Amino acid sequence: MVEIKKELINLVRHTSIYGATELLSRFIGFIMIPFYTHYLRPTDYGISELVGLTIEVISMVLGMGISNAIYRFYYDKNEVGNSMLVISTAAVGVPILGFFTLAILSFFSNQIAFLALGNKEYAFYLNLAIAELWFAQILNLVYTYVRVTESSRIYAALSISRLIFSLSLNIFLIAGMDWGVLGLFVSNLISAALFTIFTFPLLLKKVGCSFSLEVGKKMLRYSLPIVPANLASLVVNASDRFFIRAFLSLADAGVYSLGYKLGNIVFYLVRVPFMQIWEPRRYALYQEGAPPEFFARVTTYFYGCMLFCGLGIAIFVQDIIKIITPNDYWNAAIYVPAIVVCYIVYALDHHVAFGILISKKTEYWTYVNLIMGAMNLLLNFVLISRYGVWGAIGATFIPLVFKICALYFVGRRFYRIPFEWSRMAGMFIIAAGIFFVSIMFHPSYLPIALFYDTVMILAFLPIIWISGLLHIDEKIQIKNLYQTLRRNRVLETT
């Protein structure tokens, strides 16, 4: 029998560690922007971005969604028998398959560089990125194993160590050695190679070098349909910038890109760290007989955290943007709240599609995402030409709503979860009301405005408490959870 209190404590503990790691990574990346803009020319930035996007597409195809397959089969002893065999099969297969695939791609690097960057001379950068990708795919297996075994502290230590090493090498090669954009690619390759060489043998020692063709087939049968779905998601997340540049201007695309980057922070601060523990853990809970109501309750709590964080970003950005950017970029704040809403909707996909995933019907995931990607491209073409940047936001929001609805109605055919839609709608209404009040009565003096922003954001919590959206047992559990966490913190410090 699943203990809700115990599972919530476990989720909060691991999510806080993953979240702190992600927050630190994002913060360091943010403060490094002035360094990169000083030492890298706009052309260098273009090379870095286009090569990065090309490698991201290759990575999605090459990765074959193998992490999702590991999460699915690691706890399914009836399907594979030995959990370690799942990891070892991936650990043997991925490096070998990746090596030959990337070697072939490297052979055609001149052609790929010409198509992606318009110049064959950039093939050298592409080859460096391809080499880094091979190590990164192997290192991802280490991270996947750490996540699936719920070793969040080890994950944080590895991630932070690699981040510090990579950034230090970036600074040395770009500024100290004056290598420019070449230093960026070389430092990324060295970082990925060293951490792979250090950690991957430890993984093999732990799980062994066994390979099961039968297990490999089952994993690929489950994960391969996810690949085109991920590519479709990439279309939704990136294509609008190209349409804005074509229909409006490069400046509009730049302002929108900044707003987009600020708006999707909610995704990386809440959804990404949460799913790093919840993605593998929920399969274990399903195997242990957790009731559907439990998964519905977790979704509600997750959604509430997304709303709270999203509300904070939507309110704070109106003033913070004036501190961190010139006034040419201040209009980006207008778009951030709507982008936040898009990503809150987006973050529900793995929750509503749980029935599809546990039943191994991942082809439905692909169908829905391909339709979503096609809708996005069509709506970008129609709406951006008529409504500008707001058309881009609409072209993102509509396909995402379709995706969540479609996944929900398909997923409930295989596993019916009684999601608490009315409670979630009530939370959204409260958050939206607070946001509009904060905008209508906003102080002009910046220090007072920041204090006002903080008060408005924190008001979400007591309003939720007194609104009747929380059940009596939940209020008791929250009090007990707080006392337990406080007691554990005291014990850790003594």
Side-chain angles (χ1 to χ4, degrees), residues 16-34:
S16 63
I17 295 174
Y18 287 127
T21 304
E22 185 69 28
L23 179 61
L24 178 63
S25 175
R26 294 281 160 181
F27 176 73
I28 292 178
F30 179 77
I31 64 176
M32 287 293 291
I33 290 176

Side-chain angles (χ1 to χ4, degrees), residues 307-319 332-341 344 390 427-443 452-453 455-460 463:
L307 271 180
F308 180 62
C309 184
L311 177 65
I313 293 169
I315 292 178
F316 262 127
V317 73
Q318 312 299 321
D319 295 307
I334 300 173
Y335 311 120
V336 171
I339 295 170
V340 166
V341 172
I344 290 175
W390 286 110
M427 291 179 184
F428 180 82
I429 292 172
I430 291 173
I434 293 174
F435 171 75
F436 285 116
V437 170
S438 72
I439 297 299
M440 291 174 59
F441 305 100
H442 197 272
Y452 174 80
D453 293 342
V455 172
M456 294 303 297
I457 295 165
L458 293 179
F460 178 79
I463 293 176

